[in-house]
Structure formats: C-alpha cells, structure tokens
Amino acid sequence: MVKFRKIGILSSGGDAPGMNAAIRAVTRRAISQGMEVVGILGGYAGLIGAANEKDPEVIRQKYLRPLDTHSVSNIVTRGGTILYSSRCPEFKTKEGMEKALRVCEENQIDAIIAIGGDGTFRGATDLTNHGIPSIGIPGTIDNDITATELTIGFDSALNTALRMIDDLRDTAESHARCIVAEVMGNGCGLLSLYAGIATGAVCIAIPEIPFDRERAIQKIASIRAQGKRGMIAICGEGLPCTDGQPYGQGLAREIQDRTGIDTRFNKIGHIIRGGDPSLRDRLTATQMGVEAVNMLLEGRSNVVMCVNENRIATVDINFALALDKMYKNKLEDGDLDGFSSYQVAQMKARCEYRHAKIEQLYKMSYDICI
Ligand code: F6P
C-alpha cells in the first residue's frame, strides 16, 4: 500500500449536484486510511493563488482548507460545491504549473483528486506528469465524458429539468401554446433527449442526430388540428444558429410563423446546475470518491473514475481524453500517437456504442412523442 501524508481535493469547471458527496467520501475514506486531506478552494485557480500568498493563515482561509471528518458533515445533501469552482486558463501555462507544483511541495500535498469534466482531467494528467499523482472524478451535469456512462450531477440536473418542463407544460396548456425549451448541455444532447422523452415533448432536437425540422413542424400542426392545446418542443444547447438567431429562438419563430400556434421560447440553463443531489448522484459520487482514494493507495493514478455497465471502473486519463476527442470529432494530428491499434479500435467501438445508444433512444422517441 502506498502511503501519502496529505492529499488535496478540488472541484473545477461547471459545478454539479453531487460534487459535495464526492468531497465527503474522499475526505472520510482518506482520513480513515491515516491521511490528511486539504480542500483546494476554487479549483486549480486556488492551487495557483496560494503561490502568491505568504501568510499561512490567509492561505488556509482562502486557498487550502484542511478538511476533517466534521468539516464534511451534512454536505452529502447539498448542491454546489463547498470547495467552490472555477475555470482556470492559467493552469495550462508553464508558469501556472510551476506555481501549482511549488504550492504542493510547500504544503506537502502528495496527490490530488480533481472533480470536474474534461478540462479538469487535462489538469490532473498534467499534474501526474509533473510528479503529483492525480485522479479524476467526472462531475458535470452534461454527462459528456465518453469514457463513463454516467457523470455526477447528470441525474439531479435531469430531475430539475423535468420539474421545470412539467411546469412549462401547465402554462402551455392554459394558453394553448407551444413552448420551445432549450436545455443546457454544452453540445451534448443527453440532458435534452432524456428530458424530452420523460416530459412527453412533441419533438427533440439534439446536436448528435440530424433534426428533421420539416417533419417536426408538420407534426406540431397536425396534432394541433387533432385538438392538442399545450405542446413542448425541446432543443439542446449548442445547436448551430439558424437565420442569425440562436437555434431554439429560430425554431420557436418558425413554429409560430408556419403553424399559427402562439409559441414561446424558454431557456433551461444554470438553474439545473443547482439544487439537492439525487439519490443516484449521491451514491455514485460516494462510490467514486471512496474508490478514487483506494486507487491512490494501490499506487494507481492518472485515471478517471467511471461507471460502466453499472460498475465503478477506471479508465486511463489519456485514453479518456483521446476517446472524448474522437467522439466529439475534435481529434487533431498526433492525438492518437502512443496508443496501440488495439486501443484505437477500443475507442472506435466505444464511440459507436455510445452513438448507437443515443440513436436508438432518439428513434424510439419518434413514435412516443406525438
Ligand atoms: O459543463 C457544464 C455547463 O453547465 C454546460 O452545460 C454549459 O454549456 C456551461 O457549463 C456553462 O458554463 P458557465 O457556467 O461558465 O457559463
């Protein structure tokens, strides 16, 4: 078993319900194994910020908060992140990394567990490469980390989105309107697809699948002719603009212009990042947090905690990042260098599997959402 004196934990990128449950699990598991834990405030920016401060008390207050079993009491139920979060471009620079390494050395931080999305994992692998073993825990409402079937926050955000869309339906029904709801997701349509199916949307437009706009408009007109009053159309965040207008607004206008149905546009945005974490997110976050500490104890690092086939698993961070780029069609020259042909084939198979699952659900929604 590898012994660490102290491990750091941070949350970075967009916050997500369940991050606190992961922070609690990491802290308690690490302490139970004789380690100290420090909460790095504000993500990677906190790690860098501490380098510019000399006063140990200010460092403790603003950047590096020691965590004990009591300081993480009662947070399993709370949304947001008690460690705060940020996006930190400086961390990608040589100077930023040097500052972070100095802070780790001066504060005896031997390893780091970073909760967040792909940007967070890039930071974690950089730290590992510079001698600070690091592990990533996927925390983002978008569920857009290809290596894992589930990210912490997705389930809670979906449940919040459901409540909001259900409420929109009430007013759509009263006024016999169509409401186009754009659901957050940063180019990943999973929140929109699941929310659309579960709220009975009349159509769902997501970035992953070509959207048959003509068919959707005709369908809306035809079901209105059959007497349906309120309708919800869902679209994902990140779809390209149409006629110079954000996608959802353009769609709302077209529905109104072509069907004569009074139509409104509504954005379901940051609100779904807040709120209490769901059972599923609390549980997954706890399992991932405990397993992340176990990995470090086993001498493993540079991995992302994942859920695959309902089991907690690990995937090498570099593999996960390249896989993500492949799935999102963002591969650049050299990104696959260093991977064996077997690994590249594995990545392709995972991309196909993920896309096929989304496509299958999407096709199913065609017959159900009428
Ligand atoms: O990644 C989470 C997310 O909420 C995305 O769905 C969204 O596109 C983005 O973050 C918004 O970022 P910000 O909070 O910085 O505006």
Side-chain angles (χ1 to χ4, degrees):
M1 203 160 82
V2 181
K3 268 280 168 216
F4 293 102
R5 286 165 298 186
K6 196 190 285 178
I7 65 167
I9 175 159
L10 60 84
S11 45
S12 156
D15 62 350
M19 281 183 163
N20 281 329
I23 293 164
R24 169 179 175 265
V26 166
T27 304
R28 292 206 169 150
R29 176 67 182 155
I31 289 172
S32 79
Q33 298 305 300
M35 290 179 264
E36 286 177 52
V37 181
V38 63
I40 300 162
L41 302 182
Y44 292 116
L47 202 52
I48 292 176
N52 304 324
E53 182 56 60
K54 293 276 163 291
D55 183 340
E57 189 46 38
V58 176
I59 291 181
R60 252 197 306 277
Q61 293 285 332
K62 282 177 69 177
Y63 303 109
L64 304 176
R65 180 183 296 164
L67 297 177
D68 59 27
T69 49
H70 301 299
S71 46
V72 293
S73 276
N74 293 341
I75 65 168
V76 71
T77 61
R78 279 171 51 196
T81 160
I82 62 157
L83 299 181
Y84 318 131
S85 192
S86 68
R87 305 187 197 272
C88 180
E90 195 191 346
F91 194 68
K92 293 185 193 140
T93 64
K94 188 165 165 275
E95 296 72 30
M97 178 54 72
E98 279 166 3
K99 285 184 190 170
L101 294 174
R102 200 167 74 235
V103 169
C104 289
E105 195 187 330
E106 285 171 0
N107 294 277
Q108 303 185 325
I109 299 172
D110 296 332
I112 286 182
I113 294 179
I115 313 169
D118 53 356
T120 308
F121 303 152
R122 268 190 289 279
T125 195
D126 287 349
L127 279 169
T128 307
N129 292 337
H130 284 88
I132 304 291
S134 297
I135 289 194
I137 294 183
T140 161
I141 62 161
D142 301 334
N143 206 11
D144 64 342
I145 307 293
T146 316
T148 179
E149 285 167 11
L150 190 64
T151 58
I152 297 167
F154 176 65
D155 188 61
S156 312
L158 253 184
N159 281 300
T160 307
L162 289 198
R163 284 194 299 276
M164 296 184 66
I165 297 166
D166 288 348
D167 291 352
L168 284 175
R169 185 178 284 287
D170 291 343
T171 175
E173 190 69 18
S174 305
H175 290 264
R177 282 177 174 156
C178 176
I179 298 186
V180 177
E182 180 194 278
V183 181
M184 204 178 224
N186 193 26
C188 174
L190 283 175
L191 281 165
S192 298
L193 180 58
Y194 282 39
I197 292 172
T199 56
V202 68
C203 62
I204 307 166
I206 58 171
E208 290 87 341
I209 312 255
F211 179 57
D212 190 340
R213 210 159 152 133
E214 190 54 39
R215 185 181 190 270
I217 304 240
Q218 280 172 20
K219 186 165 140 189
I220 289 169
S222 125
I223 54 179
R224 167 53 63 88
Q226 290 163 37
K228 193 165 173 77
R229 287 177 60 84
M231 282 176 252
I232 301 289
I234 299 286
C235 70
E237 179 197 35
L239 282 157
C241 289
T242 48
D243 307 330
Q245 290 194 87
Y247 190 90
Q249 290 179 31
L251 180 62
R253 172 171 292 201
E254 194 176 347
I255 293 171
Q256 175 151 315
D257 288 351
R258 293 194 40 208
T259 64
I261 299 170
D262 197 16
T263 302
R264 295 288 186 274
F265 172 74
N266 204 279
K267 208 164 177 163
I268 304 209
H270 286 87
I271 192 146
I272 61 173
R273 290 226 307 243
D276 300 343
S278 66
L279 164 74
R280 183 119 197 240
D281 282 330
R282 294 182 200 192
L283 207 56
T284 308
T286 302
Q287 288 173 302
M288 284 185 172
V290 168
E291 277 307 310
V293 175
N294 291 346
M295 287 295 125
L296 285 177
L297 291 169
E298 284 172 23
R300 295 191 51 202
S301 62
N302 214 37
V303 292
V304 184
M305 306 310 300
C306 294
V307 179
N308 282 319
E309 289 165 8
N310 286 326
R311 297 164 89 130
I312 302 294
T314 54
V315 172
D316 175 80
I317 291 190
N318 295 323
F319 183 96
L321 289 172
L323 170 63
D324 235 18
K325 282 186 153 190
M326 182 184 276
Y327 184 75
K328 294 168 188 164
N329 284 324
K330 288 186 180 163
L331 277 178
E332 289 167 33
D333 283 352
D335 279 344
L336 294 179
D337 290 357
F339 292 106
S340 66
S341 48
Y342 176 69
Q343 286 175 311
V344 173
Q346 271 186 322
M347 286 179 202
K348 285 187 180 148
R350 276 189 186 233
C351 291
E352 277 162 24
Y353 174 70
R354 188 174 172 102
H355 190 75
K357 263 179 65 177
I358 294 179
E359 207 169 31
Q360 192 188 12
L361 258 183
Y362 193 83
K363 283 194 177 139
M364 182 203 79
S365 76
Y366 255 52
D367 297 331
I368 302 305
C369 301
I370 49 168

